[in-house]
Amino acid sequence: MSEHEHTKTDGLGEGAPLPGQALAGWRVAPRNERMAAHKIECNACPVLCQISEGKVGACDRYANQAGTLVRVDPVLLLRQRVAEGQGGVVPFLAEGSAAGSADASVEEAAEPTFVTAVGASTTYPDYKPAPFIVSSQVDGVDMVTVVTEGIFSYCSLKVKIDTDRWLGPEQANVRCRGEVVGHVSTAEYGSQMLSLGGVHHITGGSKKEGRITVEMMQTLGNQQAVEFSIDGGAQLRVQAGRAPVVDGVPEQRMRVGCGSATIGIFAQQFAGLVDEVVVVDDHITGVLTEHQAGRCLAMRPSGLQIRGRKSTPGRWFQVANPGTGWGGTDIRDPLSILEPWDAEQAWPGQRLLMVSTTGEHAAWFVLDAALQPQPAPMPPAVQQIVDRVGENCEPSLCTVLFVGGAGGSLRAGVTDNPVRLTRAIKQALVNVTCGGAPAYVWPGGGITVMVDVARMPAGSFGTVPTPAIVAPIEFSMRLADYEALGGHMAYVRPLAQTLATGAWHHEGAPTGRRFVAQPAANPWPLGRLPLLG
Ligand code: SF4
């Protein structure tokens, strides 16, 4: 969280309790004297909305319910399985009330349950302990999970788009509703990459740019579709876990490999059926008889000559411009990249296959007496290999990774000595998850986490108008380690108590909870520490 977000909270109240005091020790934030009597102030973020009864704040996440500030969404709790009828919203009880329901929560806590930060609320300012600090036992080990909805100014999305079609020049601006919200990044094998969001677009530009950026990030993070246009490039529709749509056309296949790799994979199958194969690719276009694969198969040089820059034998760069045609190039007519055949080597009747790296484009030619390629029907055996190229392509998908920096605020909610949390994470004593999904923590300084949004519960992301992104984050560790790193031990509460009464703070806390099933692809968040195997 950036420093400027903290300034409005100066003077929270004289005599504000010190970290570690008993639950009841915190004072409610002082009332703004100029505020109308029927309003209450939300202090869950620096915006400090004044909310009328029955209304919600600017982020739609907090409401004035009969004069009480509440977090409107339920907290999501993960279970390996959620039995029928168990997935509804259950209200939390006030501390100490309804012993019968509290007993029920003891029974519930007998089954492994993980309290996620989705809907958990945020305690603000920084030094307040996180809303949920939950203890439980895992394989006889006392564990604790610190749970909060983090507010991230330093955050971005890394988007992988499985296509060899050209989306735009590297570094080109990516726009959403006309605003620049990111750029085209370095392409990866078979995929184009976008870097979206980030602090410069969120807070460094105009108000509109910041607002559209966080809205775009929230929408993509919540696994919904967003339309983009790339300066000097394509129109794009992106949705996590779905095929990208490039210039209105849904992408089908990710290429099997570059042109050279495609030659290498299928050379043996082509031998005897063709005299030459050109695999057209924006990166490396392969020419079979010249390629090491053709040489090893003792194929006769065809005399075919190709435009472009030779890298190594049978591997050609820059045969055309990038585009949305054959193999991610701009060509529509494959013969346009060929020079006349070398008459010394070529022969009439030579059989040539031209194919793209996805098998979506393919053409068969036979040289006539003047060594000119003439289109001809493709033999079934060759068509079968072309089909196999396509079969080996994986479905084209968009993958959206959220990257966020857990700054001072967030860490202070875990411990009164935040650097110890950073160190404990680096020592692999702490498992960091986002909505229960495994998060990769970047090496080096700070706590920069990266998580696949498709593994997170639906609706995990929100925004606040500072502007910033709201995203769930949980830190799980052994209770002894938590104590050693200066954790807020007075706020640790057993799972059963948490299930009964909710967050330790009452103002702005969620009023209900809901069980959701753990996605089968995710490891159980409390089982990844070295000690627990
Ligand atoms: S934007 Fe949301 S979290 Fe921030 S003060 Fe307003 S209601 Fe509370």
Short mmCIF file of all heavy atoms in Angstrom, two decimals, residues 251-306:
data_model
loop_
_atom_site.label_atom_id
_atom_site.label_comp_id
_atom_site.label_asym_id
_atom_site.label_seq_id
_atom_site.Cartn_x
_atom_site.Cartn_y
_atom_site.Cartn_z
N GLU A 251 -9.51 -17.75 -31.23
CA GLU A 251 -8.31 -18.55 -31.53
C GLU A 251 -8.59 -20.00 -31.15
O GLU A 251 -9.28 -20.27 -30.16
CB GLU A 251 -7.13 -17.98 -30.72
CG GLU A 251 -5.79 -18.59 -31.04
CD GLU A 251 -5.40 -18.43 -32.49
OE1 GLU A 251 -6.03 -19.09 -33.35
OE2 GLU A 251 -4.49 -17.65 -32.78
N GLN A 252 -8.06 -20.92 -31.94
CA GLN A 252 -8.32 -22.33 -31.68
C GLN A 252 -7.12 -23.04 -31.07
O GLN A 252 -7.21 -23.70 -30.06
CB GLN A 252 -8.65 -23.06 -33.00
CG GLN A 252 -9.75 -22.43 -33.82
CD GLN A 252 -11.12 -22.81 -33.30
OE1 GLN A 252 -11.26 -23.85 -32.68
NE2 GLN A 252 -12.10 -21.97 -33.52
N ARG A 253 -5.99 -22.88 -31.76
CA ARG A 253 -4.85 -23.73 -31.42
C ARG A 253 -3.60 -22.93 -31.09
O ARG A 253 -3.34 -21.91 -31.70
CB ARG A 253 -4.48 -24.62 -32.61
CG ARG A 253 -5.58 -25.51 -33.08
CD ARG A 253 -5.10 -26.25 -34.32
NE ARG A 253 -6.21 -26.93 -34.97
CZ ARG A 253 -6.12 -27.49 -36.17
NH1 ARG A 253 -4.99 -27.46 -36.85
NH2 ARG A 253 -7.17 -28.08 -36.70
N MET A 254 -2.85 -23.48 -30.17
CA MET A 254 -1.52 -22.97 -29.86
C MET A 254 -0.57 -23.73 -30.77
O MET A 254 -0.75 -24.93 -30.99
CB MET A 254 -1.25 -23.33 -28.41
CG MET A 254 -0.07 -22.74 -27.81
SD MET A 254 -0.04 -23.28 -26.08
CE MET A 254 1.48 -22.48 -25.61
N ARG A 255 0.45 -23.10 -31.33
CA ARG A 255 1.30 -23.81 -32.30
C ARG A 255 2.01 -24.98 -31.63
O ARG A 255 2.31 -24.95 -30.43
CB ARG A 255 2.30 -22.86 -32.94
CG ARG A 255 3.35 -22.37 -31.99
CD ARG A 255 4.33 -21.45 -32.66
NE ARG A 255 5.39 -21.10 -31.73
CZ ARG A 255 6.45 -20.40 -32.07
NH1 ARG A 255 6.61 -19.96 -33.29
NH2 ARG A 255 7.37 -20.12 -31.18
N VAL A 256 2.31 -26.00 -32.42
CA VAL A 256 2.97 -27.20 -31.89
C VAL A 256 4.41 -26.89 -31.51
O VAL A 256 4.98 -27.50 -30.60
CB VAL A 256 2.88 -28.35 -32.92
CG1 VAL A 256 3.65 -28.04 -34.19
CG2 VAL A 256 3.38 -29.65 -32.32
N GLY A 257 5.01 -25.95 -32.18
CA GLY A 257 6.39 -25.52 -31.92
C GLY A 257 6.74 -24.51 -32.99
O GLY A 257 5.88 -24.16 -33.82
N CYS A 258 7.98 -24.03 -33.02
CA CYS A 258 8.36 -23.14 -34.10
C CYS A 258 8.49 -23.99 -35.38
O CYS A 258 8.37 -25.22 -35.35
CB CYS A 258 9.67 -22.43 -33.77
SG CYS A 258 11.09 -23.53 -33.76
N GLY A 259 8.77 -23.32 -36.51
CA GLY A 259 8.86 -24.05 -37.78
C GLY A 259 9.95 -25.10 -37.76
O GLY A 259 9.80 -26.21 -38.29
N SER A 260 11.06 -24.76 -37.11
CA SER A 260 12.18 -25.71 -37.04
C SER A 260 11.80 -26.91 -36.18
O SER A 260 12.08 -28.06 -36.54
CB SER A 260 13.39 -24.99 -36.45
OG SER A 260 14.40 -25.92 -36.17
N ALA A 261 11.14 -26.64 -35.04
CA ALA A 261 10.74 -27.75 -34.17
C ALA A 261 9.72 -28.64 -34.88
O ALA A 261 9.77 -29.88 -34.75
CB ALA A 261 10.13 -27.19 -32.88
N THR A 262 8.82 -28.03 -35.64
CA THR A 262 7.80 -28.81 -36.35
C THR A 262 8.46 -29.73 -37.38
O THR A 262 8.09 -30.90 -37.53
CB THR A 262 6.79 -27.86 -37.03
OG1 THR A 262 6.33 -26.93 -36.05
CG2 THR A 262 5.60 -28.62 -37.58
N ILE A 263 9.48 -29.20 -38.06
CA ILE A 263 10.25 -30.04 -39.00
C ILE A 263 10.88 -31.20 -38.23
O ILE A 263 10.78 -32.37 -38.63
CB ILE A 263 11.37 -29.19 -39.68
CG1 ILE A 263 10.78 -28.17 -40.65
CG2 ILE A 263 12.42 -30.09 -40.34
CD1 ILE A 263 10.44 -28.65 -42.01
N GLY A 264 11.51 -30.87 -37.10
CA GLY A 264 12.19 -31.90 -36.31
C GLY A 264 11.24 -32.98 -35.82
O GLY A 264 11.57 -34.17 -35.81
N ILE A 265 10.05 -32.58 -35.42
CA ILE A 265 9.09 -33.54 -34.86
C ILE A 265 8.56 -34.48 -35.95
O ILE A 265 8.44 -35.69 -35.75
CB ILE A 265 7.91 -32.80 -34.18
CG1 ILE A 265 8.38 -32.00 -32.97
CG2 ILE A 265 6.82 -33.78 -33.75
CD1 ILE A 265 7.35 -30.99 -32.44
N PHE A 266 8.25 -33.91 -37.13
CA PHE A 266 7.51 -34.70 -38.12
C PHE A 266 8.36 -35.16 -39.33
O PHE A 266 7.83 -35.81 -40.23
CB PHE A 266 6.30 -33.89 -38.62
CG PHE A 266 5.29 -33.64 -37.52
CD1 PHE A 266 5.23 -32.41 -36.87
CD2 PHE A 266 4.43 -34.65 -37.11
CE1 PHE A 266 4.32 -32.19 -35.84
CE2 PHE A 266 3.51 -34.43 -36.08
CZ PHE A 266 3.46 -33.21 -35.45
N ALA A 267 9.66 -34.84 -39.34
CA ALA A 267 10.50 -35.13 -40.52
C ALA A 267 10.40 -36.60 -40.94
O ALA A 267 10.21 -36.93 -42.12
CB ALA A 267 11.94 -34.75 -40.22
N GLN A 268 10.52 -37.47 -39.97
CA GLN A 268 10.54 -38.91 -40.28
C GLN A 268 9.23 -39.36 -40.94
O GLN A 268 9.23 -40.19 -41.84
CB GLN A 268 10.75 -39.67 -38.99
CG GLN A 268 11.43 -40.99 -39.19
CD GLN A 268 12.01 -41.49 -37.87
OE1 GLN A 268 11.53 -41.13 -36.80
NE2 GLN A 268 13.02 -42.31 -37.95
N GLN A 269 8.14 -38.76 -40.48
CA GLN A 269 6.84 -39.14 -41.03
C GLN A 269 6.67 -38.61 -42.46
O GLN A 269 5.99 -39.21 -43.28
CB GLN A 269 5.72 -38.59 -40.12
CG GLN A 269 5.81 -39.17 -38.72
CD GLN A 269 4.78 -38.57 -37.76
OE1 GLN A 269 3.63 -38.40 -38.11
NE2 GLN A 269 5.23 -38.28 -36.54
N PHE A 270 7.34 -37.48 -42.77
CA PHE A 270 7.25 -36.91 -44.11
C PHE A 270 8.10 -37.68 -45.12
O PHE A 270 7.78 -37.72 -46.31
CB PHE A 270 7.72 -35.45 -44.11
CG PHE A 270 6.70 -34.47 -43.53
CD1 PHE A 270 7.07 -33.57 -42.56
CD2 PHE A 270 5.40 -34.45 -44.01
CE1 PHE A 270 6.15 -32.66 -42.04
CE2 PHE A 270 4.47 -33.54 -43.49
CZ PHE A 270 4.86 -32.65 -42.51
N ALA A 271 9.20 -38.24 -44.64
CA ALA A 271 10.17 -38.87 -45.55
C ALA A 271 9.48 -39.91 -46.43
O ALA A 271 8.71 -40.74 -45.95
CB ALA A 271 11.29 -39.51 -44.74
N GLY A 272 9.74 -39.83 -47.73
CA GLY A 272 9.14 -40.78 -48.68
C GLY A 272 7.81 -40.28 -49.24
O GLY A 272 7.40 -40.71 -50.32
N LEU A 273 7.15 -39.38 -48.53
CA LEU A 273 5.85 -38.87 -49.01
C LEU A 273 5.97 -37.52 -49.68
O LEU A 273 5.07 -37.10 -50.41
CB LEU A 273 4.87 -38.74 -47.83
CG LEU A 273 4.53 -40.02 -47.05
CD1 LEU A 273 3.65 -39.69 -45.84
CD2 LEU A 273 3.79 -40.99 -47.97
N VAL A 274 7.05 -36.80 -49.37
CA VAL A 274 7.23 -35.44 -49.90
C VAL A 274 8.69 -35.31 -50.34
O VAL A 274 9.56 -36.08 -49.91
CB VAL A 274 6.96 -34.37 -48.82
CG1 VAL A 274 5.56 -34.47 -48.27
CG2 VAL A 274 7.97 -34.48 -47.67
N ASP A 275 8.96 -34.31 -51.19
CA ASP A 275 10.35 -34.00 -51.54
C ASP A 275 10.85 -32.78 -50.78
O ASP A 275 12.05 -32.60 -50.60
CB ASP A 275 10.46 -33.74 -53.05
CG ASP A 275 10.09 -34.99 -53.85
OD1 ASP A 275 10.61 -36.08 -53.53
OD2 ASP A 275 9.24 -34.88 -54.76
N GLU A 276 9.91 -31.92 -50.36
CA GLU A 276 10.29 -30.74 -49.59
C GLU A 276 9.10 -30.31 -48.73
O GLU A 276 7.94 -30.48 -49.13
CB GLU A 276 10.68 -29.60 -50.54
CG GLU A 276 11.21 -28.35 -49.85
CD GLU A 276 12.48 -28.61 -49.03
OE1 GLU A 276 12.35 -29.19 -47.92
OE2 GLU A 276 13.59 -28.26 -49.50
N VAL A 277 9.44 -29.77 -47.55
CA VAL A 277 8.40 -29.20 -46.67
C VAL A 277 8.90 -27.84 -46.17
O VAL A 277 10.06 -27.72 -45.75
CB VAL A 277 8.12 -30.10 -45.44
CG1 VAL A 277 7.09 -29.45 -44.51
CG2 VAL A 277 7.65 -31.48 -45.86
N VAL A 278 8.03 -26.85 -46.25
CA VAL A 278 8.33 -25.55 -45.64
C VAL A 278 7.29 -25.34 -44.54
O VAL A 278 6.08 -25.38 -44.80
CB VAL A 278 8.24 -24.40 -46.67
CG1 VAL A 278 8.45 -23.05 -45.98
CG2 VAL A 278 9.27 -24.60 -47.77
N VAL A 279 7.77 -25.17 -43.30
CA VAL A 279 6.84 -24.88 -42.20
C VAL A 279 6.93 -23.38 -41.92
O VAL A 279 7.96 -22.88 -41.46
CB VAL A 279 7.17 -25.69 -40.93
CG1 VAL A 279 6.14 -25.36 -39.83
CG2 VAL A 279 7.14 -27.17 -41.22
N VAL A 280 5.88 -22.67 -42.28
CA VAL A 280 5.88 -21.20 -42.19
C VAL A 280 5.62 -20.77 -40.75
O VAL A 280 4.65 -21.21 -40.13
CB VAL A 280 4.80 -20.61 -43.12
CG1 VAL A 280 4.83 -19.08 -43.06
CG2 VAL A 280 5.00 -21.10 -44.55
N ASP A 281 6.50 -19.91 -40.24
CA ASP A 281 6.39 -19.47 -38.85
C ASP A 281 7.00 -18.08 -38.73
O ASP A 281 8.03 -17.78 -39.35
CB ASP A 281 7.17 -20.47 -37.96
CG ASP A 281 7.14 -20.09 -36.49
OD1 ASP A 281 6.13 -19.53 -36.05
OD2 ASP A 281 8.14 -20.37 -35.79
N ASP A 282 6.36 -17.26 -37.93
CA ASP A 282 6.87 -15.89 -37.73
C ASP A 282 8.23 -15.90 -37.05
O ASP A 282 9.03 -15.00 -37.26
CB ASP A 282 5.86 -15.10 -36.87
CG ASP A 282 6.40 -13.73 -36.52
OD1 ASP A 282 6.90 -13.06 -37.44
OD2 ASP A 282 6.33 -13.33 -35.35
N HIS A 283 8.51 -16.91 -36.27
CA HIS A 283 9.79 -16.95 -35.57
C HIS A 283 10.85 -17.63 -36.43
O HIS A 283 11.73 -16.98 -36.97
CB HIS A 283 9.59 -17.70 -34.22
CG HIS A 283 10.85 -17.87 -33.45
ND1 HIS A 283 11.08 -18.96 -32.65
CD2 HIS A 283 11.95 -17.09 -33.38
CE1 HIS A 283 12.27 -18.84 -32.10
NE2 HIS A 283 12.81 -17.72 -32.52
N ILE A 284 10.76 -18.95 -36.59
CA ILE A 284 11.72 -19.67 -37.43
C ILE A 284 10.95 -20.50 -38.45
O ILE A 284 10.18 -21.39 -38.08
CB ILE A 284 12.62 -20.62 -36.60
CG1 ILE A 284 13.36 -19.86 -35.50
CG2 ILE A 284 13.61 -21.35 -37.51
CD1 ILE A 284 14.12 -20.75 -34.54
N THR A 285 11.16 -20.18 -39.72
CA THR A 285 10.54 -20.98 -40.77
C THR A 285 11.49 -22.13 -41.11
O THR A 285 12.70 -21.92 -41.29
CB THR A 285 10.23 -20.10 -41.99
OG1 THR A 285 9.17 -19.21 -41.63
CG2 THR A 285 9.81 -20.93 -43.20
N GLY A 286 10.96 -23.33 -41.16
CA GLY A 286 11.80 -24.52 -41.39
C GLY A 286 11.71 -25.00 -42.83
O GLY A 286 10.63 -24.97 -43.44
N VAL A 287 12.86 -25.45 -43.37
CA VAL A 287 12.91 -26.03 -44.72
C VAL A 287 13.51 -27.42 -44.56
O VAL A 287 14.69 -27.56 -44.19
CB VAL A 287 13.75 -25.15 -45.67
CG1 VAL A 287 13.83 -25.78 -47.05
CG2 VAL A 287 13.18 -23.74 -45.75
N LEU A 288 12.73 -28.45 -44.85
CA LEU A 288 13.08 -29.82 -44.46
C LEU A 288 14.41 -30.32 -45.02
O LEU A 288 15.26 -30.78 -44.27
CB LEU A 288 11.94 -30.77 -44.87
CG LEU A 288 12.18 -32.25 -44.63
CD1 LEU A 288 12.48 -32.56 -43.15
CD2 LEU A 288 10.97 -33.08 -45.09
N THR A 289 14.62 -30.25 -46.35
CA THR A 289 15.81 -30.93 -46.90
C THR A 289 17.11 -30.24 -46.48
O THR A 289 18.17 -30.86 -46.46
CB THR A 289 15.74 -31.01 -48.44
OG1 THR A 289 15.76 -29.68 -48.98
CG2 THR A 289 14.52 -31.76 -48.90
N GLU A 290 16.98 -28.93 -46.13
CA GLU A 290 18.17 -28.17 -45.73
C GLU A 290 18.45 -28.37 -44.23
O GLU A 290 19.57 -28.19 -43.77
CB GLU A 290 17.83 -26.69 -45.96
CG GLU A 290 18.95 -25.79 -46.34
CD GLU A 290 18.43 -24.35 -46.38
OE1 GLU A 290 17.93 -23.93 -47.43
OE2 GLU A 290 18.51 -23.66 -45.35
N HIS A 291 17.40 -28.70 -43.50
CA HIS A 291 17.42 -28.82 -42.03
C HIS A 291 18.20 -30.07 -41.64
O HIS A 291 18.26 -31.05 -42.38
CB HIS A 291 15.96 -28.90 -41.54
CG HIS A 291 15.77 -28.72 -40.07
ND1 HIS A 291 15.96 -29.74 -39.17
CD2 HIS A 291 15.36 -27.64 -39.35
CE1 HIS A 291 15.68 -29.29 -37.95
NE2 HIS A 291 15.32 -28.02 -38.03
N GLN A 292 18.77 -30.06 -40.47
CA GLN A 292 19.53 -31.22 -39.99
C GLN A 292 18.67 -32.48 -40.00
O GLN A 292 19.17 -33.58 -40.27
CB GLN A 292 20.06 -30.93 -38.57
CG GLN A 292 20.92 -32.00 -37.97
CD GLN A 292 22.27 -32.14 -38.68
OE1 GLN A 292 22.57 -31.40 -39.63
NE2 GLN A 292 23.06 -33.12 -38.26
N ALA A 293 17.36 -32.32 -39.74
CA ALA A 293 16.46 -33.49 -39.72
C ALA A 293 16.40 -34.12 -41.11
O ALA A 293 16.46 -35.36 -41.24
CB ALA A 293 15.07 -33.06 -39.28
N GLY A 294 16.33 -33.29 -42.17
CA GLY A 294 16.29 -33.81 -43.54
C GLY A 294 17.61 -34.43 -43.93
O GLY A 294 17.67 -35.47 -44.61
N ARG A 295 18.70 -33.82 -43.46
CA ARG A 295 20.03 -34.35 -43.79
C ARG A 295 20.23 -35.72 -43.16
O ARG A 295 20.79 -36.63 -43.78
CB ARG A 295 21.13 -33.40 -43.34
CG ARG A 295 21.23 -32.18 -44.24
CD ARG A 295 21.86 -31.07 -43.48
NE ARG A 295 23.00 -30.50 -44.18
CZ ARG A 295 23.73 -29.51 -43.68
NH1 ARG A 295 23.47 -29.04 -42.48
NH2 ARG A 295 24.74 -29.04 -44.35
N CYS A 296 19.79 -35.85 -41.92
CA CYS A 296 19.93 -37.15 -41.23
C CYS A 296 19.12 -38.23 -41.93
O CYS A 296 19.44 -39.42 -41.83
CB CYS A 296 19.48 -37.03 -39.78
SG CYS A 296 20.64 -36.12 -38.77
N LEU A 297 18.06 -37.80 -42.61
CA LEU A 297 17.22 -38.77 -43.34
C LEU A 297 17.70 -38.92 -44.79
O LEU A 297 17.02 -39.53 -45.61
CB LEU A 297 15.75 -38.31 -43.31
CG LEU A 297 15.08 -38.37 -41.93
CD1 LEU A 297 13.79 -37.56 -41.91
CD2 LEU A 297 14.80 -39.82 -41.54
N ALA A 298 18.87 -38.31 -45.09
CA ALA A 298 19.50 -38.39 -46.42
C ALA A 298 18.56 -37.92 -47.53
O ALA A 298 18.49 -38.50 -48.61
CB ALA A 298 19.97 -39.83 -46.70
N MET A 299 17.82 -36.82 -47.24
CA MET A 299 16.91 -36.29 -48.25
C MET A 299 17.70 -35.49 -49.29
O MET A 299 18.66 -34.79 -48.97
CB MET A 299 15.83 -35.43 -47.60
CG MET A 299 14.85 -36.27 -46.76
SD MET A 299 13.44 -35.32 -46.17
CE MET A 299 12.45 -35.22 -47.64
N ARG A 300 17.27 -35.58 -50.53
CA ARG A 300 17.95 -34.89 -51.63
C ARG A 300 17.65 -33.38 -51.55
O ARG A 300 16.49 -33.01 -51.39
CB ARG A 300 17.41 -35.47 -52.95
CG ARG A 300 17.93 -34.82 -54.20
CD ARG A 300 17.27 -35.47 -55.40
NE ARG A 300 17.54 -34.72 -56.61
CZ ARG A 300 17.02 -35.01 -57.79
NH1 ARG A 300 16.20 -36.05 -57.93
NH2 ARG A 300 17.32 -34.28 -58.85
N PRO A 301 18.64 -32.51 -51.64
CA PRO A 301 18.36 -31.05 -51.64
C PRO A 301 17.38 -30.71 -52.76
O PRO A 301 17.52 -31.20 -53.88
CB PRO A 301 19.73 -30.43 -51.88
CG PRO A 301 20.71 -31.46 -51.45
CD PRO A 301 20.08 -32.79 -51.75
N SER A 302 16.41 -29.88 -52.46
CA SER A 302 15.32 -29.63 -53.41
C SER A 302 15.60 -28.46 -54.34
O SER A 302 14.94 -28.30 -55.36
CB SER A 302 14.03 -29.34 -52.64
OG SER A 302 14.16 -28.11 -51.94
N GLY A 303 16.53 -27.58 -53.95
CA GLY A 303 16.77 -26.38 -54.74
C GLY A 303 15.79 -25.26 -54.42
O GLY A 303 15.84 -24.20 -55.03
N LEU A 304 14.92 -25.49 -53.45
CA LEU A 304 13.97 -24.44 -53.05
C LEU A 304 14.75 -23.30 -52.39
O LEU A 304 15.67 -23.53 -51.60
CB LEU A 304 12.95 -25.02 -52.06
CG LEU A 304 11.92 -24.04 -51.49
CD1 LEU A 304 10.54 -24.68 -51.45
CD2 LEU A 304 12.31 -23.59 -50.08
N GLN A 305 14.38 -22.07 -52.75
CA GLN A 305 15.04 -20.91 -52.15
C GLN A 305 13.98 -20.02 -51.51
O GLN A 305 12.92 -19.82 -52.08
CB GLN A 305 15.81 -20.14 -53.22
CG GLN A 305 16.86 -21.04 -53.89
CD GLN A 305 17.78 -20.27 -54.80
OE1 GLN A 305 18.92 -19.99 -54.45
NE2 GLN A 305 17.27 -19.92 -55.97
N ILE A 306 14.33 -19.54 -50.34
CA ILE A 306 13.34 -18.83 -49.54
C ILE A 306 13.84 -17.43 -49.20
O ILE A 306 15.06 -17.21 -49.09
CB ILE A 306 13.03 -19.66 -48.27
CG1 ILE A 306 11.75 -19.22 -47.60
CG2 ILE A 306 14.16 -19.67 -47.27
CD1 ILE A 306 11.19 -20.22 -46.61
#
